[in-house]
């Protein structure tokens, strides 16, 4: 019996086409234009959640962010307050490489974070060292930020470990306000 390969090839093409990941350049020309340094200069406030891979809410937090720009470097001081009362501070030093590329470092970031921005979008990728059950683990973040009208910045990050998604972080940023 001869099986026609066309149905299988069509399904494979649909599957592979559906797996294509969005790229920062897909957002070239979109508005409002995200200028990372201009957006985070001064005070910004954020509200966020972390959901595990099943979608269950695990943590809620707010962040007070102070941004200072000097030459081609943005220093972001992020003060996190979690719903359970835990606090944390992260200080980013982000360098503009060119019109579209950024690099960043923080004490709990392993190596260098890389960012690529076009239009209203920024894709930010890095490995973060997190405390976990008395030890530390390294997890990868694949952040996508999208600037909306009224100075609202939406951020969704996929968090993975050894190639498996462990959860997602969702954040909303708003210019102004210094307390979280």
């Amino acid at each position: 019996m001869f099986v026609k390969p066309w149905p299988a090839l069509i399904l494979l093409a649909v599957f592979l086409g559906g797996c294509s990941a969005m790229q920062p350049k897909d957002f070239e020309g979109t508005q409002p234009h995200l200028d990372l340094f201009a957006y985070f200069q001064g005070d910004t406030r954020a509200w966020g959640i972390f959901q595990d891979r099943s979608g269950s809410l695990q943590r809620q937090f707010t962040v007070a962010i102070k941004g200072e720009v000097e030459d081609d470097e943005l220093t972001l001081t992020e003060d996190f307050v979690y719903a359970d009362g835990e606090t944390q501070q992260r200080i980013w030093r982000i360098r503009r490489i060119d019109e579209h590329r950024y690099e960043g470092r923080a004490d709990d970031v392993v190596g260098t974070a890389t960012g690529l921005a076009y239009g209203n979008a920024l894709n930010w990728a890095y490995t973060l060292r997190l405390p976990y059950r008395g030890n530390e683990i390294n997890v990868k973040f694949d952040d996508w930020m999208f600037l909306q009208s009224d100075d609202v910045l939406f951020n969704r990050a996929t968090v993975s470990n050894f190639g498996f998604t462990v959860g997602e972080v969702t954040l909303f940023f708003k210019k102004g306000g210094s307390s979280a």
Side-chain angles (χ1 to χ4, degrees), residues 47-124:
W47 300 261
I49 59 172
F50 172 74
Q51 295 170 273
D52 65 20
R53 68 176 167 238
S54 70
S56 295
L57 182 64
Q58 298 298 311
R59 296 201 87 178
Q60 299 178 64
F61 56 93
T62 58
V63 191
I65 304 164
K66 178 72 173 171
E68 298 176 5
V69 176
E70 187 173 320
D71 298 323
D72 276 337
E73 185 170 278
L74 167 64
T75 301
L76 289 180
T77 302
E78 301 175 328
D79 290 308
F80 292 80
V81 178
Y82 293 89
D84 63 6
E86 180 185 349
T87 61
Q88 180 184 28
Q89 185 179 73
R90 177 172 300 114
I91 300 174
W92 282 99
R93 286 177 179 71
I94 301 170
R95 213 167 47 94
R96 185 186 332 252
I97 304 302
D98 60 33
E99 180 183 358
H100 301 288
R101 295 181 307 134
Y102 298 90
E103 288 184 346
R105 296 187 181 279
D107 287 343
D108 54 355
V109 170
V110 178
T112 302
T114 59
L116 193 56
Y118 283 87
N120 74 331
L122 168 74
N123 181 219
W124 190 237

Side-chain angles (χ1 to χ4, degrees), residues 140-154:
K140 292 184 183 283
F141 275 71
D142 182 21
D143 279 11
W144 279 92
M145 297 180 178
F146 299 94
L147 183 59
Q148 307 297 302
S149 60
D150 299 324
D151 283 331
V152 173
L153 183 65
F154 175 74

Side-chain angles (χ1 to χ4, degrees), residues 1 22-23 29 49 64 73 80 90 117 119 127 163 167 174 177:
M1 173 182 221
M22 69 180 162
Q23 299 295 314
I49 59 172
E73 185 170 278
F80 292 80
R90 177 172 300 114
T127 299
K174 178 75 175 143

Side-chain angles (χ1 to χ4, degrees), residues 50 90 108-110 125-132 136-142 158-167 169:
F50 172 74
R90 177 172 300 114
D108 54 355
V109 170
V110 178
Y126 56 97
T127 299
L128 190 64
R129 186 176 44 256
L130 293 175
Y132 181 73
E136 291 182 335
I137 61 169
N138 293 338
V139 294
K140 292 184 183 283
F141 275 71
D142 182 21
T158 302
V159 183
S160 62
N161 191 354
F162 296 111
F164 295 99
T165 298
V166 296
V169 176

